[in-house]
């Protein structure tokens, strides 16, 4: 059976989007400093085209409490070991600084641990949820959606983290209370599900996460940013990962990236 698995961090809207696909048992809502979903939950539904699929809900990963993060990793391991053919979606929560450090770490770690049965890279689809403004939409269009995350991952030479990640598509979802309450995202979500093939995956090694992984990524990220900002003679109009790195680090605005990379005399 085909399973639809949405993963991401707490508050990204995974459970809400699964309910848009016909789920009725996935609880969602606001919580303080922790995710709402605590264990793997499954529900079989029939999509509009008559296809029967299994919806799989999992906890968000990183939480301030280290024990919660470790338990969430165990739950994600359990979900990926289920005997389904998966369609995997990574849900990002839109932010005016672009993808968060926690989202980048989660994508890297999961990508390292799973492969298809023939040993090739697993294909991911990215959904950017809860976009609230045109400015935020523009950030994700330029650094995430335009080239299926290639610009996002380019230049991320960070020890201990691999960003050789295969992304087949990116969908941007503009937040609308009416769409959420009346199932307005259902057609968009189903279209995204229909256009991708499922993959049978296996785990090459267990997924292991601690909050220290996030701290390590942040430390190495800033070292890379320092290196970039010391670089002289870079041509104006820098594109790709370098531009996103500096924007995300607060070293540049979305509009002045070309100016800070003008050739120094």
């Amino acid at each position: 059976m085909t399973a639809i698995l949405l993963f991401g961090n707490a508050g990204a809207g995974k459970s809400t989007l699964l309910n848009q696909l016909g789920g009725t048992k996935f609880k969602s809502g606001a919580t303080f400093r922790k995710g709402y979903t605590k264990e793997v939950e499954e529900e079989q539904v029939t999509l509009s085209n008559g296809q029967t699929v299994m919806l799989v809900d999992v906890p968000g990963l990183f939480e301030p409490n280290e024990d919660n993060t470790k338990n969430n990793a165990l739950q994600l391991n359990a979900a990926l070991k289920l005997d389904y053919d998966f369609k995997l979606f990574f849900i990002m929560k839109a932010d005016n600084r672009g993808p968060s450090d926690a989202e980048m770490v989660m994508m890297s770690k999961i990508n390292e641990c799973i492969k298809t049965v023939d040993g090739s890279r697993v294909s991911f689809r990215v959904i950017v949820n809860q976009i609230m403004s045109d400015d935020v939409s523009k950030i994700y269009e330029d650094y995430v959606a335009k080239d299926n995350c290639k610009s996002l991952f380019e230049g991320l030479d960070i020890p201990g983290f691999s960003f050789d990640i295969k992304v087949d598509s990116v969908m941007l979802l503009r937040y609308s209370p009416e769409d959420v309450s009346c199932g307005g995202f259902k057609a968009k979500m189903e279209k995204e599900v229909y256009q991708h093939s499922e993959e049978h995956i296996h785990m090459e090694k267990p997924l292991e996460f601690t909050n220290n992984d996030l701290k390590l990524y942040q430390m190495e990220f800033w070292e890379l940013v320092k290196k970039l900002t010391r670089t002289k003679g870079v041509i104006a109009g820098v594109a790709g990962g370098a531009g996103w790195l500096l924007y995300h680090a607060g070293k540049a605005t979305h509009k002045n990236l070309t100016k800070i990379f003008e050739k120094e005399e």
Side-chain angles (χ1 to χ4, degrees), residues 91-104:
I91 312 302
M92 293 182 175
K93 182 179 180 180
D95 183 85
N96 62 5
R97 293 241 63 86
S100 70
D101 296 336
E103 289 170 341
M104 300 297 286

Side-chain angles (χ1 to χ4, degrees), residues 22 25 36 59 74 93 149 164 198 214 228 248:
K25 63 184 291 184
Y36 205 105
L74 291 174
K93 182 179 180 180
C149 295
D164 182 22
E198 59 273 11
L214 182 56
L228 283 171
H248 184 64

Side-chain angles (χ1 to χ4, degrees), residues 7 27 29 36 39-41 50 86-87 97 100 116 121 130 181 216 218 231 243 248-249 253:
F7 60 90
K27 296 179 181 179
Y36 205 105
E39 58 186 19
V40 179
E41 297 182 345
F86 283 101
K87 295 186 180 185
R97 293 241 63 86
S100 70
T116 64
R121 291 183 299 167
Q130 304 179 43
S181 61
L216 177 61
Q218 291 168 334
T231 301
H248 184 64
T253 67

Side-chain angles (χ1 to χ4, degrees), residues 14-29:
K14 302 180 297 299
S15 301
T16 299
L17 292 177
L18 284 173
N19 287 333
Q20 294 281 314
L21 286 171
T24 60
K25 63 184 291 184
F26 305 120
K27 296 179 181 179
S28 63

Side-chain angles (χ1 to χ4, degrees), residues 90 92 99 103-105 107-108 111 121 124 126 143-144 147-158 162-167 217 224 240-242 244-245:
F90 187 85
M92 293 182 175
E103 289 170 341
M104 300 297 286
V105 171
M107 289 189 75
S108 173
N111 183 64
R121 291 183 299 167
F124 295 92
V126 171
Y143 296 123
V144 180
D147 55 7
N148 290 341
C149 295
K150 289 181 181 178
S151 293
L152 179 65
F153 300 140
E154 182 184 11
L156 280 176
D157 183 15
I158 297 180
S162 170
F163 291 96
D164 182 22
I165 302 172
K166 181 181 178 183
V167 176
Y217 173 88
L224 184 57
W244 177 79
L245 279 168

Side-chain angles (χ1 to χ4, degrees), residues 77-217:
N77 270 287
L80 290 168
K81 290 178 180 178
L82 294 171
D83 190 22
Y84 296 126
D85 293 322
F86 283 101
K87 295 186 180 185
L88 300 177
F89 292 83
F90 187 85
I91 312 302
M92 293 182 175
K93 182 179 180 180
D95 183 85
N96 62 5
R97 293 241 63 86
S100 70
D101 296 336
E103 289 170 341
M104 300 297 286
V105 171
M106 189 177 188
M107 289 189 75
S108 173
K109 290 292 186 180
I110 291 174
N111 183 64
E112 288 177 4
C113 294
I114 59 175
K115 292 287 187 294
T116 64
V117 290
D118 65 1
S120 58
R121 291 183 299 167
V122 171
S123 299
F124 295 92
R125 298 95 201 168
V126 171
I127 297 175
V128 183
N129 195 25
Q130 304 179 43
I131 296 175
M132 300 290 189
S133 69
D134 291 340
D135 288 343
V136 172
S137 181
K138 177 65 173 172
I139 293 166
Y140 285 90
E141 288 171 7
D142 286 352
Y143 296 123
V144 180
K146 179 175 65 176
D147 55 7
N148 290 341
C149 295
K150 289 181 181 178
S151 293
L152 179 65
F153 300 140
E154 182 184 11
L156 280 176
D157 183 15
I158 297 180
F161 301 90
S162 170
F163 291 96
D164 182 22
I165 302 172
K166 181 181 178 183
V167 176
D168 282 350
S169 69
V170 176
M171 180 170 68
L172 307 182
L173 284 180
R174 187 68 175 260
Y175 176 76
S176 163
E178 293 78 15
D179 281 339
V180 173
S181 61
C182 301
F185 288 151
K186 180 178 176 65
K188 295 178 182 178
M189 288 292 296
E190 286 194 340
K191 181 180 179 182
E192 192 71 11
V193 168
Y194 296 156
Q195 69 179 350
H196 297 292
S197 300
E198 59 273 11
E199 295 176 312
H200 201 80
I201 64 175
H202 79 279
M203 301 189 67
E204 293 200 323
K205 58 181 180 179
L207 290 164
E208 295 180 350
F209 295 92
T210 68
N211 288 345
N212 191 57
D213 291 321
L214 182 56
K215 294 176 183 177
L216 177 61
Y217 173 88

